[in-house]
Amino acid sequence: MTFARTRTPRRCLALAALAFAALAAPVTLAQGKKETIYFVGIASPADPFHGVIARGAEQAGKDLGVNVVYIFPDKVTLTDYNAKIEQAIAAQPQGIVILGIDEKGSRPLAQRARELGIRLGFNPAPPVKDKPLRTPDDLYVSRVGSDEYSAGRAAAERLLTEKVKGKVVCGIQIPGDLTLSTRCQGVSDRLKEAGIKTAIIEIANEPGQSAELLATYLRANPDTGAVITLGGPPNAGAREARKAAKRPDLLLGGFDMDAATLQSIVDKDMLFTVDQQPFWRGYIPVLGIAHHLRYGLQQANYFLSGPSIVDAANARAALKLSRDGVR
């Protein structure tokens, strides 16, 4: 930091002190009032996965001096979710973070919010191969999330290190969910390159139901060598299904982090899980909107919070943070 030579040293020191004080204190564009950012989540903060996203957003609010309001629908349907976006717009905040259960279906509301001067963040981020840089006409100041196709390929790569025998099953617990189908597509494409067949099947997003469906499938398909599930509840279901089908040789890989999944990796009951670091999925959109409002800053690319493989090498270190609701 430099100052004009006509100023005395004492004057320079005073200005420097003021400048550093300004950097340390929260700066807003609303005459000293905190910015308000609505975070339109998908599930309650009590949810194992979405609760981590909510805590990330909450922590960003505390660190940045932003008023973060987390809301979510009773049911995960486009109609219910859009109703929550409507609620956020009606509150006239400075920013809204939208989670993309159907980006096209929510786009008219996003456009209306931007016309009202509301800054927007979005989850997830697009795959790098599709959008390496933010386009000038993007409605969203930032997009944050894991590259789900790359995550699927990373899961397949990790499985290949175990020399899997037989076909691999990838279970989708929410039919029609683009995130989950993209993960399975990444798994399938990479394994196909290695000459291994993949079956993509529908299971349930509840441990007991997913266990029953997977156990039935395993009994009917004894040539299955591995199962990859795409979230905490199905991960638990896969572990139970292996016991029920009496397949101790079956290799298990998962997605997302929760204490039970990590403990199973420590106990060598599962091989790995693919982490998308959801704490950042909550934190970074709030940071991006706040810094855009305050300083006019904007990322040129999109923020990838994942994928990251967690296996026996690093699961124990992540376990405590998972129990604390951060990982």
Side-chain angles (χ1 to χ4, degrees), residues 24-149:
V27 179
T28 70
L29 302 180
Q31 296 181 348
K33 294 181 179 179
K34 285 185 177 182
E35 300 96 337
T36 294
I37 297 175
Y38 269 67
F39 199 107
V40 188
I42 289 178
S44 161
D47 179 85
F49 177 79
H50 289 280
V52 179
I53 292 179
R55 279 185 285 279
E58 178 186 23
Q59 189 61 50
K62 291 177 180 177
D63 291 348
L64 296 164
V66 173
N67 180 32
V68 176
V69 180
Y70 185 92
I71 59 175
F72 59 93
D74 294 330
K75 296 179 181 178
V76 187
T77 67
L78 180 60
T79 299
D80 290 282
Y81 191 76
N82 280 351
K84 287 298 175 182
I85 298 176
E86 292 266 18
Q87 178 184 334
I89 293 172
Q92 299 181 338
Q94 284 71 48
I96 299 175
V97 180
I98 297 173
L99 270 60
I101 66 170
D102 185 338
E103 183 174 358
K104 289 183 179 179
S106 298
R107 188 173 180 83
L109 293 175
Q111 288 175 323
R112 190 204 308 171
R114 286 296 293 117
E115 289 168 1
L116 293 171
I118 299 171
R119 301 302 191 272
L120 302 176
F122 190 82
N123 261 278
V128 173
K129 64 182 180 62
D130 295 340
K131 284 190 176 182
L133 294 176
R134 181 183 181 278
T135 55
D137 61 345
D138 197 335
L139 290 173
Y140 302 94
V141 169
S142 73
R143 295 178 185 244
V144 179
S146 179
D147 186 327
E148 301 298 354
Y149 181 77

Side-chain angles (χ1 to χ4, degrees), residues 8 24 73 82 88 106 109 124 129 152 161-162 187 194 213 216 230 233 242 256-257 264 269-270 293 306 313 324:
T8 64
N82 280 351
S106 298
L109 293 175
K129 64 182 180 62
T161 65
E162 302 295 327
V187 170
L213 290 168
T216 299
L230 307 179
R242 180 170 58 185
D256 297 337
M257 301 245 290
S264 72
D269 200 22
M270 290 186 73
L293 287 167
D324 292 341

Side-chain angles (χ1 to χ4, degrees), residues 147-160:
D147 186 327
E148 301 298 354
Y149 181 77
S150 296
R153 292 186 65 91
E157 288 282 2
R158 180 62 183 80
L159 201 57
L160 288 171

